[in-house]
Amino acid sequence: MSSFSNRSSYIFTSESVAEGHPDKVCDQISDAVVDAYLTINPEARVACETLATTNTIVIAGEVRGADITKAEIEKIARDKVREIGYLQEGFHADNLDVYVHLHSQSADIAVGVDSTDTKDEGAGDQGIMFGFACNETKSLMPAPIDLSHKILENLARVRHSGEEKGLGPDAKSQVSLLYENGKPVKATSIVVSTQHAAGLTQADVREIVRPHVLAALPKGWMCDEAEFYVNPTGQFIIGGPDGDCGLTGRKIIVDTYGGAAPHGGGAFSGKDPTKVDRSAAYAARYLAKNVVAAGLADRCTIQLSYAIGVSKPISFYVSTIGGSVDEAKLETVLQELVNLTPRGIREHLKLNRPIYARTAAYGHFGREPDATGGFTWEELDLVEKLRAAFPASVKKVG
């Protein structure tokens, strides 16, 4: 069964952007600020937005629970810009201007979110969140976004190592895949735009990029040469925030499922885990991934909704394709396995830790859980419990 359509044959496209893309620069700075606050106080509240343009960064938002000076926030921003690789005339970690406008969280928000003797911690805002998983890749992610991320991760790795000295930090990829009988079989077109050093021609960059695209794709999946587009405008020397203003939260489809699943509209980066835009979206992915990994469906979509200041979700919806599981019963079982209040999610997934800067490039989902507690929402620790609850519905995951 297809992940995106009831049709058996079609083409589907997703894109990714590199860590040096101006919007991703902002996401990473905002999440580095979140990590700094959570390092001092795991219960800190942070809502941090970043803007980046030519040699300028503006950081604004609301915080509570830790004292970090403007000078320390400025250093966090410069260190992140340097780590990404921006030491360019129009955007240089050492020379850019950093303006910090973080202030105390609204008391009206705090009174609704904080727990008391008579109520549990409430959601930090109203909203809807979606989680998704499908069985067409090992990561249980849609193949187009999975491959788009891998291409850019390959380019970033050889740039940072110095193996490819002509590459710059800013880059984008786009992968279009042909689906036959509901399964991806090859790329029909690939687009890669990457910042590069002056003096390299479009043909030079194309050949630098080619092996890293081939390394990301399954064998035999490369598109026809005429459909392989590298820097279609000809050159890409001026890039990053010097070429285009960046903002936190503008790449929400890149961050999630590449358009293959619904999105509630809320961004993740810059938000502490009491914000259900982030934590509930992570929980929904966690549950959907375990459903698919358990062999209960080829595809699982989950929606959660919340009201500000209210602890329990307002609604919980599960939709599956390619299985025989009772979805109404599955909704009940999943809510029994995981407490989906903001506090319950944070405690179950251990989210009150400085684990967020690493999420802010190359997708929040489909990543490997790491030894220091990152990406806990990618764990598959519910699989056996789900199989035990639905023994007649389990099938081999393929």
Side-chain angles (χ1 to χ4, degrees), residues 55-59 70 73-74 77-78 96-100:
N55 267 335
T56 303
I57 290 173
V58 180
I59 300 171
K70 288 186 177 182
I73 297 294
E74 177 180 338
R78 292 188 189 279
L96 54 79
D97 296 317
V98 181
Y99 301 94
V100 180

Side-chain angles (χ1 to χ4, degrees), residues 275-323:
K275 279 67 171 176
V276 285
D277 275 344
R278 177 168 229 157
S279 56
Y282 289 177
R285 161 63 179 176
Y286 171 63
L287 295 177
K289 184 177 182 181
N290 275 269
V291 167
V292 174
L296 302 183
D298 293 336
R299 169 189 179 185
C300 181
T301 303
I302 291 178
Q303 186 203 55
L304 285 157
S305 70
Y306 292 84
I308 188 169
V310 179
S311 59
K312 292 185 177 179
I314 301 300
S315 66
F316 181 73
Y317 167 78
V318 178
S319 174
T320 61
I321 291 178

Side-chain angles (χ1 to χ4, degrees), residues 323-344:
S324 60
V325 68
D326 181 334
E327 292 171 338
K329 181 182 176 183
L330 182 57
E331 290 172 353
T332 299
V333 169
L334 290 172
Q335 292 180 88
E336 291 172 348
L337 291 175
V338 179
N339 176 357
L340 291 172
T341 66
R343 181 189 299 278

Side-chain angles (χ1 to χ4, degrees), residues 1-71:
M1 178 62 69
S2 157
S3 289
F4 320 122
S5 170
N6 290 324
R7 296 164 54 192
S8 62
S9 298
Y10 57 93
I11 295 171
F12 193 87
T13 304
S14 295
E15 71 156 350
S16 181
V17 299
E19 65 205 58
H21 185 281
D23 295 329
K24 280 286 136 202
V25 171
C26 294
D27 285 344
Q28 289 167 92
I29 292 170
S30 291
D31 271 343
V33 171
V34 172
D35 283 354
Y37 276 88
L38 293 179
T39 297
I40 297 171
N41 178 4
E43 301 295 329
R45 303 287 191 262
V46 185
C48 177
E49 311 294 344
T50 302
L51 175 149
T53 187
T54 300
N55 267 335
T56 303
I57 290 173
V58 180
I59 300 171
E62 302 80 47
V63 295
R64 179 163 64 93
D67 292 324
I68 302 179
T69 67
K70 288 186 177 182

